[in-house]
């Protein structure tokens, strides 16, 4: 019976009762609520009758809470506070101001476009917990389909029929050589310059795309390239290049990392920079995704005129 009764009590009756408990006077409570004294009195009396208990002792100058009334008001106050918090939280979540955003990335290099984007997003949306997972583009797509990620940033074209995508920024491709390499003194390199070289490629991150790009650019050239793949991190791979294991190719943002004994040479014959795209499921309507994409567009417009090798794609606000 109490649980069934609770579901029938109007919220407005509880609000009126809380006001009376605060002011200990029906007239003052009614003035605060902007209603008539009779309305407040009737709602409180009806509530007492429904509960079968007396909440207030009436006297000429006002009212006082009974012992049962004290206990009831304490519980109702806590419940209304929780309800108010739930309403506010739901509103913040609906506007993308609280909750979480699960990002899939290929790398997070300090001072890169992506690092700046995430830093500004966290600053402007402090109520959103940003969770980051580093993986290959293939694994990121799998995690998106499994609802383990909300948004992923991947290198190269992202033409997937079951996902929305948007190109966010581009980076020139550069070759990484040890300082003692015969080509290290040049200002640029070409793909024919690198024919016959040993290329070092990672298994994870953008490694699979790098592997395919080398094969595409050096197809049919002699001597053929040697491509060696390793399960190492970016720092270890760069150290291996510095020690003479071979060379590698990376996006220009990698040159922002503190390194020694390496040179980063842009390609003179690479037809276009590498594009990086955001991809997300059309079924994921999270406003946190929308806010991230809007910020990416704004940051792109700000950085378009900035000097340096990284170019950012201006985007309009998504509908």
């Amino acid at each position: 019976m109490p649980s069934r009764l609770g579901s029938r009590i109007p919220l407005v009756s509880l609000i009126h009762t809380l006001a009376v408990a605060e002011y200990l006077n029906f007239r003052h409570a009614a003035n605060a609520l902007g209603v008539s004294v009779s309305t407040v009195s009737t709602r409180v009396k009806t509530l007492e009758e429904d509960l079968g208990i007396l909440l207030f002792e009436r006297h000429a100058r006002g009212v006082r809470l009974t012992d049962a009334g004290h206990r009831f008001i304490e519980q109702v106050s806590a419940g209304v506070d929780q309800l108010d918090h739930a309403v506010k939280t739901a509103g913040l979540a609906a506007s993308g101001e609280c909750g979480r955003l699960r990002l899939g990335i290929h790398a997070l290099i300090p001072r890169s476009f992506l690092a700046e984007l995430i830093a500004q997003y966290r600053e402007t949306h402090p109520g959103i917990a940003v969770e980051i997972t580093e993986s290959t583009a293939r694994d990121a797509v799998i995690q998106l389909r499994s609802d383990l990620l909300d948004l992923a940033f991947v290198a190269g074209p992202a033409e997937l029929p079951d996902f929305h995508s948007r190109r966010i920024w581009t980076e020139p491709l550069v070759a990484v050589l040890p300082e003692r390499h015969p080509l290290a003194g040049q200002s640029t390199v070409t793909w024919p310059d690198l024919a016959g070289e040993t290329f070092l490629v990672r298994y994870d991150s953008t490694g699979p795309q790098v592997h395919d790009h080398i094969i595409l650019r050096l197809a049919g050239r002699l001597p053929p390239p040697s491509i060696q793949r390793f399960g190492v991190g970016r720092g270890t791979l760069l150290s291996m290049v510095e020690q003479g294991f071979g060379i590698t190719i990376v996006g220009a943002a990698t040159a922002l990392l503190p390194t020694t004994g390496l040179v980063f040479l842009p390609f003179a014959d690479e037809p276009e920079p590498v594009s990086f795209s955001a991809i997300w499921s059309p079924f994921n309507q999270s406003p946190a995704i929308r806010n991230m994409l809007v910020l990416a567009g704004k940051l792109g417009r700000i950085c378009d005129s900035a000097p340096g090798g990284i170019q950012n794609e201006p985007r309009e606000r998504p509908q």
Side-chain angles (χ1 to χ4, degrees), residues 64-294:
R64 65 179 294 273
L65 283 165
T66 64
D67 289 342
H70 272 293
R71 180 174 293 275
F72 180 78
I73 291 299
E74 287 177 359
Q75 298 296 321
V76 170
S77 295
V80 170
D81 287 343
Q82 290 179 357
L83 178 60
D84 183 60
H85 177 73
V87 171
K88 291 179 180 178
T89 301
L92 290 172
S95 63
E97 296 304 324
C98 77
R100 66 175 178 173
L101 180 62
R102 300 165 298 173
L103 296 178
I105 64 170
H106 64 285
L108 194 61
I109 297 171
R111 297 182 292 129
S112 67
F113 176 84
L114 182 57
E116 181 67 15
L117 173 61
I118 293 175
Q120 288 200 23
Y121 180 85
R122 295 182 67 236
E123 181 178 349
T124 55
H125 300 85
I128 296 292
V130 177
E131 302 173 4
I132 296 177
T133 300
E134 184 174 334
S135 68
T136 63
R138 177 180 178 275
D139 287 343
V141 169
I142 293 174
Q143 292 178 73
L144 282 169
R145 288 188 175 127
S146 301
D147 194 30
L148 298 176
L149 291 177
D150 298 308
L151 183 69
F153 295 101
V154 298
E159 299 174 356
L160 300 168
D162 54 337
F163 286 101
H164 289 324
S165 67
R166 177 175 300 170
R167 192 167 74 157
I168 303 296
W169 81 97
T170 60
E171 291 180 23
L173 200 63
V174 299
V176 188
L177 287 67
E179 284 183 341
R180 56 188 176 277
H181 193 282
L183 300 176
Q186 299 183 183
S187 59
T188 62
V189 293
T190 64
W191 282 104
D193 291 338
L194 303 181
E197 290 282 351
T198 297
F199 288 86
L200 310 182
V201 176
R202 298 167 63 194
Y203 277 113
D204 57 6
S205 188
T206 56
Q209 292 141 300
V210 170
H211 177 275
D212 294 345
H213 194 76
I214 294 170
I215 292 177
L216 175 66
R217 290 287 181 256
L218 295 178
R221 296 191 180 276
L222 295 174
S226 169
I227 304 177
Q228 299 181 8
R229 306 178 73 174
F230 298 91
V232 298
R234 176 174 283 96
T236 299
L237 192 77
L238 293 177
S239 293
M240 293 174 68
V241 172
E242 192 275 331
Q243 293 182 23
F245 282 75
I247 67 172
T248 192
I249 60 173
V250 297
T254 302
L256 297 171
L257 291 171
T259 59
T260 58
L262 298 174
V263 293
F264 296 82
L265 301 180
F267 282 88
D269 57 350
E270 188 65 29
E272 60 183 21
V274 179
S275 64
F276 290 83
S277 300
I279 57 175
W280 68 101
S281 169
F283 301 107
N284 190 335
Q285 300 296 317
S286 169
I289 296 176
R290 180 188 65 240
N291 292 341
M292 173 63 84
L293 295 173
V294 169

Side-chain angles (χ1 to χ4, degrees), residues 283-313:
F283 301 107
N284 190 335
Q285 300 296 317
S286 169
I289 296 176
R290 180 188 65 240
N291 292 341
M292 173 63 84
L293 295 173
V294 169
L295 181 60
K298 291 179 179 178
L299 186 58
R301 283 190 287 272
I302 292 171
C303 296
D304 265 348
S305 59
I310 301 178
Q311 301 171 347
N312 309 292
E313 300 295 323

